[in-house]
């Protein structure tokens, strides 16, 4: 929906392929997403493999004014 507002939308997932993305959404690595984004919305299941997805190293790559919104399902 954000593409309709003229926003560039980036997406990442371990198994995400460009062909899986809707038009206007670019598939990138987590590192590229953190460096390029102004806002990050993280949607991840609470499972052991995801508990260390975001740490000091990942937050250091984010822009100074970037907002991080975390949600757990």
């Amino acid at each position: 929906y954000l593409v309709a507002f003229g926003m560039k939308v980036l997406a990442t997932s371990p198994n995400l392929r460009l062909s899986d993305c809707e038009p206007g959404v670019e598939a990138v690595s987590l590192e590229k997403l953190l460096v390029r984004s102004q806002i990050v919305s993280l949607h991840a299941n609470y499972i052991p493999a995801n508990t260390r997805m975001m740490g000091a190293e990942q937050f250091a790559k984010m822009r100074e004014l970037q907002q991080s919104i975390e949600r757990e399902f």
Side-chain angles (χ1 to χ4, degrees):
Y1 300 106
L2 297 174
V3 174
F5 292 104
M7 294 183 177
K8 177 111 177 144
V9 178
L10 307 176
T12 190
S13 179
N15 300 318
L16 184 65
R17 296 176 307 220
L18 184 58
S19 61
D20 295 334
C21 293
E22 295 181 21
V25 177
E26 182 182 351
V28 297
S29 67
L30 177 60
E31 181 177 340
K32 286 184 181 181
L33 184 139
L34 295 175
V35 170
R36 292 175 54 188
S37 298
Q38 292 179 345
I39 298 173
V40 173
S41 180
L42 178 62
H43 303 262
N45 293 325
Y46 188 70
I47 59 173
N50 292 338
T51 58
R52 306 243 188 267
M53 181 185 304
M54 294 294 294
E57 180 181 343
Q58 287 75 27
F59 281 105
K61 293 178 182 177
M62 299 168 82
R63 295 179 182 189
E64 187 174 329
L65 299 176
Q66 187 173 354
Q67 301 177 33
S68 174
I69 305 166
E70 296 187 25
R71 294 178 59 185
E72 293 180 6
F73 294 95

